[in-house]
Amino acid sequence: MAAEIVNPRSDSTSGNPDQDGGAEPLDSFDPAFALHRGGKMAVQATVPLRDKDDLSLAYTPGVARVCTAIAEQPELVNDYTWKSSVVAVVTDGTAVLGLGDIGPEASLPVMEGKAILFKQFGGVDAVPIALACTGVDEIVETVVRLAPSFGGINLEDISAPRCFEIERKLQERVDIPVFHDDQHGTAVVTLAALRNAARLSRREIGQLRAVISGAGAAGVAIAKMLVEAGIGDVALADRKGIISADRDDLTEVKRQVAGFTNKAGLKGTLEDALAGADVFIGVSGGTVPEEAVASMADGAFVFAMANPNPEVHPDVAHKYAAVVATGRSDFPNQINNVLAFPGIFAGALQVRASRITEGMKIAAAEALAAVVGDDLAADYVIPSPFDERVAPAVTAAVAAAARAEGVARR
């Protein structure tokens, strides 16, 4: 499969939909279009086809012997096909980056991008699959039927709250890992950065009170992971304010969140929650007033991860916070999912895990944090995606955790 990132794009402009009556193609003045022409990936054979002997082994009649063996012993599919080393990147195009519900076709450039990130940073082959359906059960049934071809399913850019139910139902139906990266990848990298920020300030996670702006896929997953990691307390805020058990307008997911967060019983607005808080985590967009940031505890951490405009601009955050992180590559401490998902899947596939557990995600976060080591500084609490130590460290930690938790099959 995409064993290699190659682009067989043609120099021809024929059939270019951005041309109208001979208008100049978009490629000529926008390098993004030039790079995307023909797509960003391709299938490549991993075996030679030089002569009839090669053909008789790769295809008929030799292939029949392999098919028969798999029919008799289904588990052999993992040894004699690509199944155990390839991931499906599945979307319905309803929550694509910051673009929203733009549909399956328009999502494909992002899904191709995700696939080449899998390969580049984790050595994992991935196939983009954009579905022309949005119903929870439709998506689940479709992916269940595709699952025999893959060793893992990466759900991508599916809007909340459907993404929670889709992931849960899918994992109940298939015996391969199902991982919604918008949730768990973000949570893993956030926890890693927070662990190092706490270490820098000589505090434990259990001493911190965090506030999360945004109760969608990422916000809920971060809250769950922080609680799993032993955070002192964490409160989420949506557009209507702090999520608390006494609110009568909560979705089922938010009611569940209210049950394990906000031990302090805070009520009111996001700004109210930030008063005296140790950590701000933004995954919602919008803007947090400077006076609210100023009301946080001394030595606070601000992780403002909205793109392209952080909820708190770093110039403002640095006035009050000891550690500042964003989702952008042009500021230090980028919270980037590519630090997590390639290694997580590589580790899970390596041991043929049946699922990705909370313990495996925690192990990934700890391994990622450990890469920083003695170089820890306020502007370096998380490594760069281009740090070649990242993927091997995460892969090894996830594989070990899978074995420890009993979900590994080799």
Side-chain angles (χ1 to χ4, degrees), residues 5 84-87 89 111-126 151-156 177 179-182 184-186 188-189 335-351 356 360-361 364-365 367-368 383-399:
I5 301 171
S84 65
S85 61
V86 67
V87 170
V89 180
M111 300 310 114
E112 286 183 1
K114 194 80 173 190
I116 65 174
L117 294 179
F118 264 111
K119 188 64 181 178
Q120 183 71 26
F121 293 104
V124 173
D125 288 323
I153 306 294
N154 184 89
L155 300 176
E156 189 75 18
F179 186 84
H180 184 213
D181 184 51
D182 298 324
H184 311 301
T186 305
V188 166
V189 183
I335 308 294
N336 190 330
N337 289 12
V338 77
L339 289 162
F341 69 82
I344 289 173
F345 267 101
L349 294 174
Q350 184 180 99
V351 298
I356 294 170
M360 291 161 72
K361 289 180 277 187
L368 181 56
S384 162
F386 296 98
D387 189 323
E388 294 181 354
R389 299 171 296 170
V390 168
V394 174
T395 298
V398 169

Side-chain angles (χ1 to χ4, degrees), residues 40-355:
K40 299 192 292 287
M41 58 185 292
V43 172
Q44 174 141 340
T46 61
V47 297
L49 286 176
R50 299 162 298 196
D51 51 37
K52 66 181 181 63
D53 292 333
D54 289 343
L55 186 59
S56 70
L57 290 174
Y59 202 54
T60 186
V63 73
R65 300 197 296 276
V66 181
C67 292
T68 301
I70 293 172
E72 293 172 353
Q73 300 181 63
E75 68 278 5
L76 292 179
V77 70
N78 293 298
D79 296 311
Y80 296 106
T81 73
W82 75 344
K83 176 181 170 68
S84 65
S85 61
V86 67
V87 170
V89 180
V90 178
T91 190
D92 63 356
T94 55
V96 181
L97 296 179
L99 305 174
D101 185 355
I102 60 175
E105 289 86 359
S107 76
L108 271 175
V110 178
M111 300 310 114
E112 286 183 1
K114 194 80 173 190
I116 65 174
L117 294 179
F118 264 111
K119 188 64 181 178
Q120 183 71 26
F121 293 104
V124 173
D125 288 323
V127 177
I129 298 177
L131 302 178
C133 58
T134 57
V136 169
D137 291 334
E138 283 182 294
I139 292 174
V140 170
E141 292 298 330
T142 301
V143 177
V144 165
R145 283 159 174 74
L146 291 169
S149 293
F150 299 100
I153 306 294
N154 184 89
L155 300 176
E156 189 75 18
D157 291 352
I158 298 174
S159 63
R162 295 173 313 116
C163 58
F164 302 111
E165 190 176 5
I166 289 168
E167 183 184 46
R168 177 182 61 80
K169 287 187 170 184
L170 262 178
Q171 190 62 85
E172 290 172 354
R173 297 278 302 277
V174 300
D175 66 346
I176 57 176
V178 178
F179 186 84
H180 184 213
D181 184 51
D182 298 324
Q183 293 182 59
H184 311 301
T186 305
V188 166
V189 183
T190 301
L191 175 58
L194 185 58
R195 281 196 180 283
N196 275 339
R199 180 163 70 95
L200 184 67
S201 65
R202 294 181 173 81
R203 285 180 284 177
E204 300 293 330
I205 291 273
Q207 297 174 270
L208 304 176
R209 179 170 72 84
V211 178
I212 300 173
S213 174
V220 170
I222 292 168
K224 287 181 178 178
M225 184 160 285
L226 293 186
V227 169
E228 187 77 18
I231 192 82
D233 196 10
V234 57
L236 280 81
D238 60 13
R239 290 184 180 88
K240 297 182 180 180
I242 302 167
I243 291 176
S244 58
D246 62 339
R247 277 180 48 180
D248 59 7
D249 60 348
L250 300 179
T251 64
E252 177 59 30
V253 170
K254 291 179 182 179
R255 279 197 295 273
Q256 293 173 8
V257 168
F260 64 82
T261 63
N262 195 13
K263 292 185 293 186
L266 300 175
K267 299 178 183 179
T269 65
L270 170 70
E271 289 80 3
D272 293 328
L274 283 175
D278 302 293
V279 185
F280 168 75
I281 297 170
V283 284
S284 65
T287 302
V288 177
E290 182 172 345
E291 54 268 27
V293 181
S295 75
M296 296 177 69
D298 291 340
F301 314 140
V302 171
F303 295 179
M305 298 187 284
N307 261 317
N309 300 311
E311 294 89 347
V312 183
H313 193 279
D315 291 345
V316 173
H318 278 298
K319 295 180 183 179
Y320 311 101
V323 176
V324 177
T326 72
R328 288 174 44 159
S329 60
D330 54 345
F331 292 110
N333 296 327
Q334 184 190 18
I335 308 294
N336 190 330
N337 289 12
V338 77
L339 289 162
F341 69 82
I344 289 173
F345 267 101
L349 294 174
Q350 184 180 99
V351 298
R352 294 179 189 165
S354 58
R355 62 184 60 238

